[in-house]
Amino acid sequence: MGPSRIESLERLKQEFQKLPGIGARSAERLAFHVLRGSRAEAAGLAQALLDVKDHVKHCGRCFNLTEHDPCGICADPYRDASELWVVEQPKDLMALESTGLVRGVYHVLLGHLAPLEHVEPGDLTIDALVARVKRGGIREVVLATNPTTEGDGTALYIESLLCEYGVLITRPARGLAVGSQLEYASMGMLEAAIRGRSKL
Ligand SMILES: [Zn+2]
């Protein structure tokens, strides 16, 4: 560390470098970008970072990310609360929402079962899902986990828990190539998968 080292600039570079996909060069570029900008711009960035941490939480009902609990989807009286779409992550929910074809509500698992990585049922929101189904009022549960080995395994596990409650359990059609992620699926593929779901 020579005498030319500028402490606060170094610290900003180090913080940027902790972000995913940001290497040393990008971190430096971002740090200088902030340095060149106005104080107001820097304050806006800092405030946006803090706001996300302070205001974004999981919906107590569906575990979607939201600033209000229950979230806008759960609170919407025009949604069909008897049709429950189970997805792995909020980004999967957003992909399904972008089609405008889902009239039901969601349940976000916040992951998938991965025994080798020690992700057990207790690490996901499966207990809350079972409790929702147990409470009644749900006619169909669509297991829209990703069509991967882990997603399929998670769907089968959930099906084994829910089958005793007399609800229709379906899975979106395999319009999605095996191994593809729901969030990257094209709109046409998503539509085909949503409309063509079949009984598990
Ligand atoms: Zn919600």
Side-chain angles (χ1 to χ4, degrees), residues 2 47 49 105 160 174 183:
Q47 195 58 53
L49 291 170
V105 293
S160 74
R174 292 313 173 95
E183 57 171 317

Side-chain angles (χ1 to χ4, degrees), residues 5 29 60 132 180:
R5 185 183 139 95
R29 211 155 42 83
R132 282 179 86 178
S180 76

Side-chain angles (χ1 to χ4, degrees), residues 121-179:
D123 298 319
L124 308 179
T125 64
I126 292 177
D127 285 350
L129 171 61
V130 174
R132 282 179 86 178
V133 172
K134 222 169 166 173
R135 229 174 285 135
I138 292 166
R139 174 182 50 81
E140 178 180 357
V141 175
V142 187
L143 297 175
T145 50
N146 286 318
T148 57
T149 309
E150 293 87 358
D152 285 342
T154 306
L156 284 175
Y157 177 76
I158 292 172
E159 199 254 344
S160 74
L161 296 178
L162 297 184
C163 60
E164 63 178 285
Y165 298 108
V167 291
L168 175 65
I169 300 173
T170 59
R171 187 117 169 87
R174 292 313 173 95
L176 307 168
V178 171

Side-chain angles (χ1 to χ4, degrees), residues 110-129:
L110 301 178
H112 53 228
L113 295 177
L116 296 178
E117 292 151 46
H118 307 289
V119 183
E120 312 285 342
D123 298 319
L124 308 179
T125 64
I126 292 177
D127 285 350
L129 171 61

